[in-house]
Amino acid sequence: LEDREGNVWAGTTVGLYRLTRQKLTPLTNIGLVTAVDATAHELWAGTSYGVVRFTRERGTWHGERVDGPPFYAVAVHRDRAESLWVGAQTGLFEVVGRRLRSVPLPADMTALSCLSSDSHGLWLGGGGRIAQWDRARFTPVPMPADAPGQPVCVYVDDREHAWIGFPEAKLLRRSPDGTFVRFGAETFGSDANTIYNVSQTSDAAVWVSTNVGVTRFTTAGTFTFTRASGLPSDRVWTVFDDDEKH
């Protein structure tokens, strides 16, 4: 993830690293970093120990744990109203000031795996299902009868299409009217078997990260970038673009 000052932040198994033009600065002793969200003035890291908030004072970044019970954070998401949410193996939390507010979840959806949002509220993935939450009630998102297994991730793009990843690198795109378009593993490559993440860049392209590269979806079609295209590895976890549209 790149912040607005051009620093690149990398989450690793031993902590968070900040890459500047001069050097790589480790920020350790915070556990395994699983998700990051950044604004102009602060950075939030979801870790295996909970949530850590980083702020900069006099050119130096300082981290502090957000008050709350320890948990394994798997997703950090800022919705369209600029509220910050954390998905964890123990439930859903909203960041309020420097504290975490727990949101009660349905009994069959206590362990979350992904978060996204549209103009109506949050989309949550967990327990092998997808649900929408409008701060008043949870509404399960119906899947087709022949859905290719249990969903593993969800992302809602700026046209409010929901991209839902399944095992064996299968993908469904759900339109706002509830209709589905299917994409098989062959969309990504002959050896595709895992979808890690779906994201969107500022040019409206949707990127699906897999074990065989990253596939770009546009109105003109699809194109998959792999190691042969110049990537250091075929296994891609996620895609972001910076303020310069890179």
Side-chain angles (χ1 to χ4, degrees):
L1 175 68
E2 181 168 350
D3 62 27
R4 296 186 182 182
E5 295 179 354
N7 302 309
V8 175
W9 298 79
T12 76
T13 57
V14 294
L16 188 66
Y17 283 72
R18 179 172 63 95
L19 177 63
T20 69
R21 296 179 186 274
Q22 292 79 29
K23 62 181 180 178
L24 186 67
T25 304
L27 302 170
T28 56
N29 299 319
I30 60 174
L32 169 65
V33 177
T34 55
V36 176
D37 179 89
T39 66
H41 307 292
E42 60 188 8
L43 181 141
W44 301 80
T47 79
S48 54
Y49 299 151
V51 180
V52 179
R53 174 178 177 262
F54 290 93
T55 56
R56 196 174 76 161
E57 297 178 7
R58 299 178 181 177
T60 301
W61 286 89
H62 301 275
E64 60 177 342
R65 298 188 190 279
V66 178
D67 291 341
F71 58 80
Y72 195 112
V74 297
V76 178
H77 177 72
R78 191 175 301 275
D79 66 20
R80 301 186 186 188
E82 291 297 311
S83 295
L84 189 64
W85 302 89
V86 180
Q89 293 182 342
T90 53
L92 175 66
F93 300 87
E94 181 181 13
V95 178
V96 181
R98 297 186 180 182
R99 301 185 63 85
L100 295 172
R101 181 180 70 87
S102 178
V103 177
L105 293 176
D108 57 350
M109 202 175 188
T110 54
L112 296 182
S113 58
C114 54
L115 295 174
S116 191
S117 62
D118 61 13
S119 58
H120 304 290
L122 285 181
W123 287 61
L124 305 92
R129 60 184 293 207
I130 303 292
Q132 294 174 282
W133 182 55
D134 62 1
R135 287 185 177 260
R137 64 185 181 276
F138 290 90
T139 304
V141 176
M143 293 290 112
D146 59 347
Q150 296 184 334
V152 296
C153 64
V154 62
Y155 178 81
V156 183
D157 66 23
D158 59 8
R159 297 174 59 199
E160 306 212 338
H161 290 92
W163 300 72
I164 305 169
F166 290 85
E168 300 180 2
K170 295 178 180 178
L171 181 71
L172 294 181
R173 185 182 67 204
R174 181 182 185 272
S175 299
D177 63 5
T179 58
F180 288 89
V181 176
R182 292 168 170 77
F183 302 92
E186 66 277 2
T187 305
F188 312 108
S190 58
D191 295 323
N193 57 40
T194 306
I195 292 177
Y196 295 114
N197 189 58
V198 183
S199 57
Q200 187 175 33
T201 46
S202 56
D203 60 357
V206 171
W207 300 75
V208 179
S209 305
T210 75
N211 66 300
V212 294
V214 58
T215 299
R216 184 176 186 260
F217 288 76
T218 67
T219 55
T222 63
F223 183 84
T224 298
F225 297 86
T226 66
R227 194 169 184 174
S229 309
L231 293 177
S233 170
D234 283 334
R235 193 178 302 273
V236 177
W237 296 105
T238 191
V239 172
F240 294 92
D241 62 346
D242 60 27
D243 289 344
E244 296 181 356
K245 312 304 180 186
H246 295 132

